[in-house]
Amino acid sequence: MNKYKTLREEAYEANMEIKRKKLAIYTWGNSSAFDPDMSVFAIKPSGVDYESLKPKLMVVIDLYGNVVDGNLKPSSDTKTHLVLYREFSQLGIRGITHTHSTYATAWAQAARPVPIFGTTHADHGTNEIPCTDFMSEEKTKNNYELETGNLIIDTFKQKKLNPAHTNMVLTAGHGPFTWGNNAALSVYNSVVMEEICKMAFITLSLNPLAKPLPEHIIKKHWERKHGEDAYYGQNHRQNNIDKKALF
């Protein structure tokens, strides 16, 4: 059995979820899965449409950018994924997704961060969705995909954002990137990001002067799902409920 079989299957399923959730058309978009023990990630091959995709076609790359297994050319965005894994993997990030989903890409093309207008956004983050600056002409002429990764890293450093808490970003003029503790979660975050961007667009369409959600409401919605005393869902402490009543 090929030692990369499980990693390839994880990457394949994540890429097929991009298609299922209608985050990309044709060959647009890509997702990758990272194995920290082997220091490699599996990623979608370049230019292969989703209908033709198979687990065995996933390309395995090391953190130096070398193809260690696979016969096809990897995604053109591979070096962006590589940079993000180099910088973020110590935070437990094991999956990255890039799409050209309509609303998120529209915000990226407008080069605008996405404010927290409502509790849906606050449930998934306490910061606006950041947007990078446009890449400089000099860096564009360099290694474009590598510099895209560097641009994301620089943006998080400048804004003092924790990528473990802010798991999505817009690259100006380009599109969205998301990540998570595995490849499936990185796609989930892409779905969430697209919906948040859609809601924000509609909000501004209805009220161009709309203000971000007050900080105390943002904090409340984040902490009820992710805080020390979180009570949303079935896996947190039921502070005010007799658990025996649940059975």
Side-chain angles (χ1 to χ4, degrees):
M1 179 184 294
N2 188 296
K3 65 179 180 178
Y4 304 118
K5 181 176 184 294
T6 299
L7 192 65
R8 277 200 170 98
E9 289 174 347
E10 182 183 352
Y12 167 78
E13 287 299 331
N15 278 282
M16 295 310 292
E17 185 71 354
I18 291 175
K19 175 69 171 177
R20 286 191 289 265
K21 296 301 183 183
K22 299 181 179 180
L23 295 175
I25 60 175
Y26 299 121
T27 62
W28 302 3
N30 46 73
S31 189
S32 65
F34 177 67
D35 185 314
D37 295 326
M38 294 189 285
S39 293
V40 298
F41 61 96
I43 194 167
K44 179 181 178 291
S46 180
V48 177
D49 61 51
Y50 292 94
E51 287 75 13
S52 304
L53 212 54
K54 297 177 181 178
K56 66 180 181 181
L57 298 182
M58 298 296 109
V59 187
V60 182
I61 311 290
D62 67 19
L63 292 184
Y64 297 98
N66 302 308
V67 174
V68 297
D69 203 37
N71 299 316
L72 297 177
K73 184 170 67 174
S75 166
S76 59
D77 295 301
T78 293
K79 289 184 179 179
T80 305
H81 289 241
L82 187 154
V83 171
L84 297 181
Y85 282 129
R86 281 180 179 174
E87 295 291 329
F88 293 168
S89 62
Q90 70 272 18
L91 299 173
I93 290 166
R94 303 289 182 262
I96 295 170
T97 294
H98 169 55
T99 76
H100 290 269
S101 60
T102 304
Y103 285 90
T105 301
W107 280 86
Q109 291 178 172
R112 289 189 60 178
V114 183
I116 304 179
F117 285 127
T119 61
T120 306
H121 189 160
D123 282 340
H124 293 89
T126 58
N127 298 293
E128 65 181 14
I129 299 173
C131 185
T132 70
D133 294 330
F134 285 104
M135 190 181 298
S136 69
E137 182 177 1
E138 179 184 358
K139 290 185 177 180
T140 302
K141 290 179 179 179
N142 188 16
N143 188 319
Y144 178 71
E145 289 76 21
L146 188 75
E147 293 295 354
T148 298
N150 290 335
L151 188 60
I152 293 171
I153 299 302
D154 290 344
T155 298
F156 271 69
K157 288 180 179 178
Q158 290 168 9
K159 295 180 180 293
K160 298 181 180 179
L161 296 173
N162 183 344
H165 294 158
T166 302
N167 47 33
M168 51 190 68
V169 67
L170 298 165
T171 51
H174 185 183
F177 284 84
T178 60
W179 45 84
N181 293 338
N182 54 53
L185 280 173
S186 73
V187 182
Y188 170 86
N189 288 331
S190 286
V191 175
V192 168
M193 183 182 193
E194 175 66 3
E195 197 66 16
I196 288 171
C197 288
K198 181 178 181 180
M199 290 177 180
F201 173 81
I202 295 171
T203 298
L204 289 175
S205 298
L206 293 169
N207 180 7
L209 300 179
K211 301 294 184 182
L213 199 65
E215 188 64 34
H216 62 278
I217 300 179
I218 294 174
K219 182 178 180 181
K220 176 63 178 180
H221 271 262
W222 172 260
E223 290 187 348
R224 74 178 190 142
K225 292 188 75 170
H226 309 283
E228 184 178 347
D229 296 316
Y231 56 87
Y232 178 90
Q234 301 304 314
N235 295 322
H236 300 297
R237 291 196 299 270
Q238 304 290 318
N239 293 326
N240 299 312
I241 299 176
D242 182 354
K243 291 185 179 181
K244 292 182 181 179
L246 299 175
F247 299 94

